Amino acid sequence: MRNNNINFIVITLIFFLVSCKKSVNTSEPLVSNINSVELNKAIEAKVDSLLSIMTLEEKIGQMNQYNGFWDLTGPKPEEGIAAKKYDHLRKGLVGSMLNVRGVKDVKTVQKIAVEESRLGIPLIIGFDVIHGYKTISPIPLAEAASWDMEAIKKSAEVAAQEASAAGINWTFAPMVDISRDARWGRVMEGAGEDPFLGSKIAEARVKGFQGDDLSANNTIVACAKHFAGYGFAESGRDYNTVDIGTSTLNNIIFPPFKATIKAGVRTFMNSFNELNGVPATGNKFLQRDILKNDWKFDGFIVSDWGSIGEMVAHGYAKDGKAAAEMAISGGADMDMESYLYAAHLAELVEEGKIDEKLINDAARRVLRIKFELGLFDDPYKYCNKKREEEIIGSASNHKTVLDIAKKSIVLLKNENSTLPLKKKGQKIALIGALASDKNSPLGSWRIGAEDNSAISVLEGMQKYEDNILTYTKGANVTIGETKFGIETKINTTDKSEFQNAVKAARNADVVIMVLGEIGFQSGEGRSRTEIGLPGVQQELLETVYKENPNIVLVLTNGRPLAITWADKNIPAIVEAWHLGSQSGNAIAQVLYGDYNPSGKLPMTFPRSVGQIPIYYNYKNTGRPTLPAPDVVFWSHYSDQKNTPLYAFGHGLSYTSFKYKNLEVDNTSSINNPEIKVSVDITNTGKYEGKEVAQLYIRDLFASVTRPVKELKGFELISLQPGETKTIHFELDSETLGFYDNSGQWVVEPGEFKVFVGGSSNKTIESNFELQ
Ligand code: BGC
């Protein structure tokens, strides 16, 4: 109910905001000037003014996020909640909504917040725009394989443009969780296993989403998630316990999060897991000590879906009210879908259990971002129907995602130059249900994409008309309908179509088999204990192989797969992930050599699931090598090698590269190290090609043992056949040091090795000493 008094306050406030707007040019770049004292001061003044007229309930309202009425990305809320949501919107008790999309729907909820609530505070509209909105880019793990920061940034820009044109102004991305466990379904959503590469990618993605000007109508707020440790879930089972030491936390998990702060990220999401016995959502150490105090983060932290309430199941909070108390004390500013801040915070303040200062601080953080977005100037700035129609799915966006899709493909094996394919006079048998699948390439976060809208491999291959192409499925990957949220039933029995595949292979010069995971087999809640080719696909591969071994295996999947048999027997293997809307075109162009592959693995491929966790930056142990024949007492398996199937950084090209003349120039001292490294790289093959030159170091003896290799630099270069380029790297205290066990950054004197090469396991090396 409004009365004249309140209306007056609203009018006064609006007047104040408008006058503030005049004195501050809100169209100035915000993120790049994030420290611009003047702009920050102006925003703080507006926030102060607004906070001073808000009731406790309204402030708590800003800390409350509801799901829309349509898409669900977590467990279903209780019945009848929708009506309550409308009512809460009107009462100004909602700060944000997620999973509302499209100009029409966003405008509907925004209008209620702005025009029907007492203070008219606009909503911030969040969505999981992970790798595209409608025009879908490759899954993030695939993009990471490009090692191309410009392309990754551009992909995030396209996602931001389309999402913002659909009314969204906040994405729950990038996910920067490092993971060493291919069983965990969410590895598809991250940048792999390495903190250095992960940090560069995190930065590129934040800059792509947020741009230089957060108040522009084509940029959106990014969200670094999940803070922290989510990628280290025990046994790769999603949501499982995380128990790790400070060294791993500081040296492996935190760096990409820190990189997002450096890039100006404005929001964080906490995570479902507990970390060393304390759920991340109520974790003061993570959220208050590290993030808000040490790293001086002044944006806001949103909880993960229902994670405040889940602290009860964790055995940390005795009920919902205690969970709300722990979450706010722990530093979580916004409650996503637990309904617990809305239900209990006011009471907790009245009872003196929560200091109102905490509420003020959280509401301030949320309002700050709304001002930075310019939502108070124009709450409908993302709701332009014409823009929505023009931008979403545009030809230029498809061009961008095709480009990154090609760059994401990794050539794992290519014996006898099986690839590229000849463009004429070939009989090609294309086999595999995934070859004609137009849905799986979209991955498990497809948001505004229409089902079955990706270009399939079949469609991509059909564009090359001078060969004879025969297609047959050979076997279905799944049985029955596959939908988001529905348990996928894998075909483990139906081999009735195998014979069609054998027949097609019999007459072919070359067989292309597209095998792997469907789009919903990786992603949240989709952990697996077996990571070979699912269902009957392995048997299909072996059956076809008996008929015609000249096979190119194209893998489409969201995680590293253990494909040891294929590696031993199949001459050419291409890792094509889930590549998004333009998938089939990208794959066909690579197979035919119109694009020379340059991707490198961002995550180790194991030989078998029992090797997991397996990663390139492991520790040496006290017993690293076989001391003498027949000795068993060294660190190894009795039934499997220690080495991976495909190492981190591995990826071939249709041409070849030679590394030589590795030089290390070290004239510096320990106080200000500056090690200059140079190396010559020559294209020794017959195609023009791109190569990701990778630099690794090993600190041989340290107060805390260091990994056998650590990535500390990389460069993507392009070389004509016969051409040589010299590339340069520099190592300094930021790359040579590490966090010791007391959390201090230290650079220690002593001997280092330096390695440069085209993969973590194929390098040339030199050394230097820090004194
Ligand atoms: C996921 C988050 C996601 C959120 C909202 C959760 O289940 O863990 O990453 O942003 O849902 O959809």
Side-chain angles (χ1 to χ4, degrees):
M1 267 291 173
R2 294 177 174 221
N3 61 32
N4 287 344
N5 239 348
I6 289 172
N7 268 339
F8 174 70
I9 294 174
V10 176
I11 289 160
T12 315
L13 174 72
I14 290 170
F15 179 76
F16 171 75
L17 296 180
V18 170
S19 62
C20 276
K21 194 187 154 204
K22 278 187 194 141
S23 62
V24 183
N25 180 0
T26 42
S27 64
E28 272 174 15
L30 187 64
V31 173
S32 55
N33 290 346
I34 213 75
N35 290 325
S36 150
V37 179
E38 207 182 309
L39 188 58
N40 282 352
K41 264 198 208 152
I43 285 181
E44 292 316 301
K46 291 178 191 183
V47 175
D48 278 340
S49 157
L50 184 49
L51 275 174
S52 71
I53 59 164
M54 289 170 78
T55 63
L56 177 63
E57 281 72 17
E58 284 165 337
K59 287 186 254 182
I60 293 167
Q62 289 305 305
M63 302 161 64
N64 184 25
Q65 184 187 50
Y66 284 158
N67 189 55
F69 312 104
W70 310 275
D71 303 284
L72 279 178
T73 50
K76 244 190 173 145
E78 62 197 79
E79 291 300 320
I81 215 83
K84 188 163 146 198
K85 282 181 197 168
Y86 272 125
D87 185 43
H88 282 191
L89 274 173
R90 283 194 184 95
K91 289 186 176 144
L93 301 181
V94 185
S96 170
M97 292 195 80
L98 81 151
N99 298 348
V100 184
R101 65 187 159 94
V103 163
K104 188 169 153 274
D105 290 343
V106 170
K107 209 166 179 177
T108 304
V109 289
Q110 192 67 293
K111 232 170 164 270
I112 301 173
V114 172
E115 293 172 31
E116 296 183 41
S117 74
R118 185 179 82 95
L119 293 175
I121 300 175
L123 298 165
I124 179 166
I125 305 286
F127 216 119
D128 293 282
V129 184
I130 308 295
H131 52 111
Y133 174 74
K134 182 169 185 187
T135 310
I136 301 294
S137 294
I139 55 169
L141 185 66
E143 286 195 347
S146 73
W147 296 54
D148 185 330
M149 299 308 118
E150 263 314 299
I152 290 174
K153 181 167 165 244
K154 247 181 143 204
S155 159
E157 271 167 22
V158 164
Q161 276 171 20
E162 291 202 357
S164 60
I168 294 159
N169 43 42
W170 178 24
T171 175
F172 305 126
M175 184 188 103
V176 302
D177 298 310
I178 297 295
S179 181
R180 298 163 163 177
D181 199 326
R183 292 169 298 184
W184 190 49
R186 290 195 91 165
V187 295
M188 56 76 58
E189 204 180 329
E193 72 189 36
D194 183 63
F196 185 85
L197 178 63
S199 298
K200 299 284 175 210
I201 291 173
E203 185 185 333
R205 290 202 166 121
V206 169
K207 290 189 171 156
F209 287 130
Q210 294 193 163
D212 297 330
D213 178 4
L214 207 52
S215 72
N217 69 353
N218 61 356
T219 57
I220 57 180
V221 175
C223 179
K225 71 186 188 185
H226 305 86
F227 199 61
Y230 186 41
F232 276 68
E234 277 178 4
S235 52
R237 205 183 72 211
D238 210 357
Y239 319 122
N240 204 3
T241 305
V242 177
D243 203 315
I244 46 175
T246 42
S247 180
T248 302
L249 204 56
N250 283 318
N251 291 299
I252 307 291
I253 292 175
F254 283 165
F257 285 104
K258 263 187 132 167
T260 65
I261 301 260
K262 222 168 121 197
V265 76
R266 300 309 284 135
T267 68
F268 260 60
M269 184 184 289
N270 57 35
S271 58
F272 291 125
N273 56 283
E274 66 163 66
L275 176 68
N276 304 334
V278 180
T281 301
N283 199 310
K284 265 194 194 132
F285 160 72
L286 286 173
Q287 300 177 107
R288 293 211 180 271
D289 301 351
I290 299 290
L291 184 52
K292 291 181 175 173
N293 283 338
D294 291 0
W295 298 355
K296 314 250 172 303
F297 175 65
D298 71 350
F300 69 87
I301 306 174
V302 63
S303 82
D304 205 345
W305 180 292
S307 69
I308 297 182
E310 288 175 14
M311 288 200 287
V312 176
H314 273 293
Y316 191 63
K318 77 170 191 305
D319 54 24
K321 187 172 170 187
E325 183 181 344
M326 285 162 159
I328 180 66
S329 307
D333 301 304
M334 186 181 276
D335 173 4
M336 178 193 287
E337 277 292 300
S338 268
Y339 303 85
L340 293 174
Y341 278 3
H344 300 293
L345 280 188
E347 198 184 333
L348 285 163
V349 171
E350 274 145 28
E351 288 168 2
K353 289 191 176 141
I354 289 293
D355 190 332
E356 195 170 343
K357 278 191 194 139
L358 293 187
I359 309 288
N360 290 341
D361 176 62
R364 167 182 297 283
R365 287 167 180 272
V366 175
L367 292 172
R368 182 179 288 145
I369 306 302
K370 292 185 177 182
F371 276 108
E372 289 178 6
L373 277 167
L375 280 170
F376 286 90
D377 299 340
D378 178 5
Y380 305 115
K381 60 194 291 190
Y382 307 95
C383 296
N384 178 334
K385 208 71 205 129
K386 191 157 166 273
R387 203 175 151 248
E388 184 176 41
E389 277 155 21
E390 278 168 13
I391 287 183
I392 298 178
S394 73
S396 108
N397 289 351
H398 276 278
K399 205 169 147 218
T400 306
V401 302
L402 173 60
D403 179 64
I404 180 81
K406 288 188 278 191
K407 290 173 171 163
S408 304
I409 293 174
V410 185
L411 181 61
L412 295 174
K413 185 179 172 192
N414 193 21
E415 254 173 19
N416 319 319
S417 301
T418 308
L419 289 173
L421 299 171
K422 294 196 189 84
K423 285 191 178 157
K424 272 190 190 153
Q426 296 282 290
K427 279 183 270 165
I428 298 179
L430 180 63
I431 298 173
L434 289 168
S436 59
D437 189 337
K438 293 170 67 59
N439 215 23
S440 287
L442 301 172
S444 65
W445 285 120
R446 63 222 7 225
I447 309 305
E450 278 156 32
D451 281 346
N452 298 306
S453 61
I455 306 282
S456 68
V457 181
L458 174 60
E459 289 168 324
M461 294 290 292
Q462 279 167 340
K463 294 192 178 140
Y464 291 83
E465 291 174 342
D466 296 336
N467 281 332
I468 300 168
L469 183 71
T470 318
Y471 172 63
T472 175
K473 266 204 251 179
N476 285 319
V477 182
T478 54
I479 294 176
E481 205 188 357
T482 324
K483 265 193 172 174
F484 175 75
I486 292 178
E487 204 63 38
T488 306
K489 289 206 179 59
I490 300 299
N491 171 20
T492 53
T493 49
D494 181 6
K495 302 173 203 163
S496 56
E497 290 180 57
F498 271 28
Q499 277 322 303
N500 299 341
V502 172
K503 218 195 286 165
R506 188 173 304 148
N507 299 315
D509 297 311
V510 51
V511 180
I512 297 173
M513 296 192 69
V514 183
L515 306 176
E517 297 180 312
I518 62 152
F520 289 130
Q521 241 174 313
S522 49
E524 187 177 348
R526 290 158 175 104
S527 298
R528 290 174 60 196
T529 60
E530 300 290 345
I531 56 165
L533 295 171
V536 295
Q537 293 181 98
Q538 177 65 31
E539 213 179 317
L540 175 66
L541 178 64
E542 292 182 28
T543 307
V544 172
Y545 175 80
K546 279 189 204 132
E547 186 65 38
N548 185 346
N550 194 30
I551 294 175
V552 175
L553 171 62
V554 176
L555 297 168
T556 73
N557 45 289
R559 54 155 65 79
L561 296 177
I563 46 149
T564 315
W565 184 90
D567 176 65
K568 197 160 160 234
N569 296 287
I570 303 298
I573 306 178
V574 174
E575 176 50 79
W577 315 104
H578 293 132
L579 288 178
S581 302
Q582 287 291 328
S583 178
N585 285 336
I587 293 169
Q589 288 180 29
V590 164
L591 295 181
Y592 273 108
D594 284 339
Y595 186 85
N596 187 357
S598 53
K600 303 277 187 181
L601 293 178
M603 202 170 171
T604 305
F605 274 44
R607 293 175 190 276
S608 79
V609 82
Q611 290 181 307
I612 293 174
I614 181 168
Y615 45 97
Y616 85 94
N617 46 354
Y618 58 89
K619 301 285 187 76
N620 206 34
T621 79
R623 294 185 177 195
T625 45
L626 176 69
D630 297 332
V631 174
V632 296
F633 305 111
W634 66 290
S635 180
H636 75 299
Y637 300 101
S638 48
D639 61 349
Q640 186 55 276
K641 293 179 182 171
N642 283 3
T643 54
L645 188 63
Y646 301 117
F648 173 85
H650 169 74
L652 305 172
S653 162
Y654 294 149
T655 193
S656 49
F657 300 99
K658 187 157 180 56
Y659 288 71
K660 56 178 192 280
N661 302 335
L662 175 59
E663 277 171 23
V664 181
D665 176 12
N666 172 26
T667 47
S668 60
S669 76
I670 181 89
N671 299 327
N672 190 16
E674 239 184 57
I675 315 288
K676 295 199 166 87
V677 180
S678 67
V679 69
D680 292 343
I681 306 173
T682 306
N683 180 343
T684 50
K686 51 181 195 256
Y687 297 92
E688 177 189 354
K690 285 192 293 173
E691 168 74 335
V692 182
Q694 303 154 40
L695 176 136
Y696 299 86
I697 61 162
R698 177 170 178 188
D699 183 346
L700 289 180
F701 304 98
S703 59
V704 179
T705 60
R706 307 303 305 141
V708 295
K709 264 181 193 151
E710 290 181 274
L711 182 74
K712 294 294 176 184
F714 60 89
E715 196 171 324
L716 179 62
I717 55 164
S718 184
L719 290 171
Q720 296 293 332
E723 189 185 354
T724 298
K725 273 187 188 159
T726 304
I727 56 164
H728 302 272
F729 297 100
E730 214 172 285
L731 296 164
D732 54 18
S733 52
E734 229 182 90
T735 38
L736 292 168
F738 60 91
Y739 289 97
D740 68 13
N741 283 344
S742 63
Q744 289 307 305
W745 182 257
V746 290
V747 182
E748 295 181 345
E751 278 177 69
F752 285 76
K753 273 191 176 184
V754 53
F755 313 82
V756 181
S759 166
S760 65
N761 67 350
K762 278 197 196 87
T763 51
I764 53 173
E765 62 182 80
S766 183
N767 58 296
F768 63 89
E769 195 172 339
L770 263 192
Q771 286 175 335

